[in-house]
Amino acid sequence: MNRLKKIATWIAGAMLALLTAYQMGRIKEDYDDNIEDFEKDKEGTKRVIQTNINTDSNAALERLRQTGRLRD
């Protein structure tokens, strides 16, 4: 009976190790996906900010031209 308990314990331990390895693999995959998404979002945010800066700069230049404070 002790031998059966040892075998059952060994099998349960092996199954737990496999489940843990599987879960760690999924966590790593999710982490990599999140990093990739973050990088894409960061690039998109940079483009939006740059567009806003350019738009604001152009609007400011146009206002200066209209008021006569800036000549081409």
Side-chain angles (χ1 to χ4, degrees), residues 28-44:
K28 171 95 172 77
E29 187 177 303
D30 289 344
Y31 174 79
D32 291 342
D33 289 345
N34 287 340
I35 293 297
E36 184 178 313
D37 291 344
F38 173 77
E39 291 298 325
K40 286 179 185 175
D41 290 346
K42 188 169 74 172
E43 289 303 314

Side-chain angles (χ1 to χ4, degrees), residues 44-59:
T45 301
K46 281 182 185 177
R47 283 192 300 275
V48 168
I49 290 171
Q50 188 60 44
T51 300
N52 288 344
I53 289 170
N54 289 341
T55 302
D56 292 343
S57 295
N58 291 339

Side-chain angles (χ1 to χ4, degrees), residues 1-7:
M1 193 58 143
N2 274 343
R3 185 173 173 88
L4 286 177
K5 283 184 181 178
K6 286 181 182 179
I7 291 172

Side-chain angles (χ1 to χ4, degrees), residues 9-23:
T9 302
W10 186 86
I11 291 173
M15 290 176 66
L16 181 61
L18 288 173
L19 177 63
T20 302
Y22 171 75
Q23 290 293 48

